[in-house]
Amino acid sequence: MEFFVLGERELVLGFMLAGVKGQAVTNRQDALESFLRVTGQSSSSQSLVEAERPEILILTEDVADMISTEVQSWQMKAKAPLIVEIPGLNGHAKGRKTLTDSIREAVGINV
């Protein structure tokens, strides 16, 4: 299964040590260009063709917030890559639930 990560430079480097390709992004423009390239929506020649696209695209919460409209639009199409959001280097963004909180809410049990 192919993965690709978009996030802070240090986080991307960590994923690359585990063999996951990625792109460091620092602002909305970088994030949007990388997202469009990886999902094959970019009109440039650097856009990945369908066979090269990852099956799972990992975004930090900060990057997902930068391009939230585009991410939501992509998720509504239900096409690969599947988008997974993870906390950035500074932990969860304000107002976001942790995985434990989401499970606790869904199951109704405190573990």
Side-chain angles (χ1 to χ4, degrees):
M1 185 169 293
E2 285 288 317
F3 294 88
F4 196 91
V5 63
L6 295 176
E8 296 95 352
R9 185 174 81 72
E10 293 83 1
L11 189 130
V12 171
L13 288 173
F15 271 92
M16 291 176 87
L17 288 172
V20 176
K21 296 176 185 174
Q23 177 70 45
V25 295
T26 57
N27 57 46
R28 176 175 161 64
Q29 186 63 33
D30 288 346
L32 184 57
E33 287 174 5
S34 296
F35 178 77
L36 294 175
R37 184 179 58 79
V38 171
T39 56
Q41 299 178 79
S42 176
S43 59
S44 74
S45 62
Q46 294 182 353
S47 182
L48 299 179
V49 294
E50 192 166 344
E52 296 174 333
R53 282 187 221 145
E55 295 163 345
I56 298 178
L57 175 58
I58 302 167
L59 303 176
T60 62
E61 291 173 344
D62 294 336
V63 171
D65 287 344
M66 285 183 214
I67 56 172
S68 61
T69 304
E70 291 81 2
V71 169
Q72 288 175 356
S73 175
W74 182 260
Q75 289 174 324
M76 296 302 284
K77 295 177 184 177
K79 293 183 178 181
L82 171 69
I83 296 175
V84 177
E85 295 180 28
I86 62 170
L89 295 175
N90 299 322
H92 282 285
K94 287 186 178 183
R96 299 259 184 157
K97 295 180 190 174
T98 65
L99 179 59
T100 305
D101 292 338
S102 297
I103 292 171
R104 190 175 297 136
E105 187 177 294
V107 177
I109 302 173
N110 231 355
V111 180

